[in-house]
């Protein structure tokens, strides 16, 4: 049968070592059972998890908002719009950036006991208060920029037990602007934005097939697009991500 075939494939040294317990006495049946169960344990490690998460972010100095920036990308619908003269307080549009908010769904594949790879789809919203001048009067408008991103990350599992899992991860993410709005106009950015990410994670198992997790994550922008957003002013962003995972066996 299959059990006999598996024993036949074992090296004699493996069998001899397995036949001796900690006291040096023979315990053939128990030792062989443990040896034959090892492939099954490894097989269970090759599992797939589906996760749903949300994240809030902050600057690396933990401030409430990013620094104010200036620029002009999306022209207002009113053709009479113009920036104030250079001698004025505002030489161009002024942006007060809010913290970005992110939501995502992910799939995590365990390659072995210590390594996993994950990917998925993340949605991120950047919102800024944009101030400019129309016919000499200061006007404000909320600029909203919507991105969809695809991350790829490798996780190194540092410790794992029945109830807890601790890991570190590093990867990369590609983001594409879906649309942006300001001054009543819609703008589309063609460039793909890239960022490098690193994270630390703690997972708490609720049941054998479900768990909750938290992941402090740092995202470092590798390039910036034409739109003035929080990302273009803060190259490094700290996210606190939390979610729930469902394990498929």
């Amino acid at each position: 049968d299959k059990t006999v075939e598996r024993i036949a494939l074992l090296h004699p040294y493996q069998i001899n070592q397995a036949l001796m317990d900690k006291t040096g006495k023979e315990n053939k049946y128990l030792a062989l059972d443990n040896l034959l169960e090892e492939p099954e344990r490894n097989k269970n490690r090759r599992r797939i998890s589906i996760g749903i998460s949300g994240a809030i972010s902050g600057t690396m100095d933990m401030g409430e908002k990013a620094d104010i920036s200036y620029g002009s990308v999306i022209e207002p619908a009113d053709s009479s719009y113009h920036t104030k003269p250079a001698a004025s307080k505002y030489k161009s549009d002024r942006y007060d950036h809010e913290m970005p908010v992110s939501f995502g769904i992910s799939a995590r594949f365990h390659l072995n006991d210590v390594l996993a790879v994950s990917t998925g789809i993340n949605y991120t919203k950047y919102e800024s208060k944009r101030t400019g001048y129309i016919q000499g009067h200061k006007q404000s408008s909320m600029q909203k920029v919507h991105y969809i991103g695809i991350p790829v990350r490798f996780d190194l599992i540092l410790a794992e037990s029945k109830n807890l899992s601790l890991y570190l991860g590093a990867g990369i993410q590609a983001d594409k602007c879906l649309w942006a709005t300001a001054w009543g106009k819609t703008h589309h950015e063609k460039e793909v934005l890239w960022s490098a990410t690193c994270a630390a994670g703690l997972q708490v198992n609720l049941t054998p097939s479900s768990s909750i997790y938290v992941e402090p994550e740092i995202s470092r922008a590798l390039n910036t697009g034409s739109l003035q957003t929080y990302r273009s002013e803060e190259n490094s962003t700290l996210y606190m991500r939390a979610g729930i995972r469902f394990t498929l066996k």
Side-chain angles (χ1 to χ4, degrees), residues 51-80:
I52 302 173
S53 67
I56 56 176
S57 61
T59 60
M60 296 303 295
D61 60 5
M62 301 305 292
E64 292 184 356
K65 289 187 177 182
D67 293 336
I68 296 169
S69 64
Y70 296 87
S72 182
V73 177
I74 307 175
E75 293 300 325
D78 190 337
S79 60
S80 63

Side-chain angles (χ1 to χ4, degrees), residues 194-227:
W194 295 90
S195 58
T197 61
C198 61
L202 175 64
Q203 177 176 303
V204 179
N205 299 327
L206 304 177
T207 69
S209 60
S210 65
S211 58
I212 57 176
Y213 67 95
V214 291
E215 290 179 354
E217 178 186 89
I218 297 176
S219 176
R220 176 73 176 180
L222 302 180
N223 65 331
T224 57
S226 60
L227 295 172

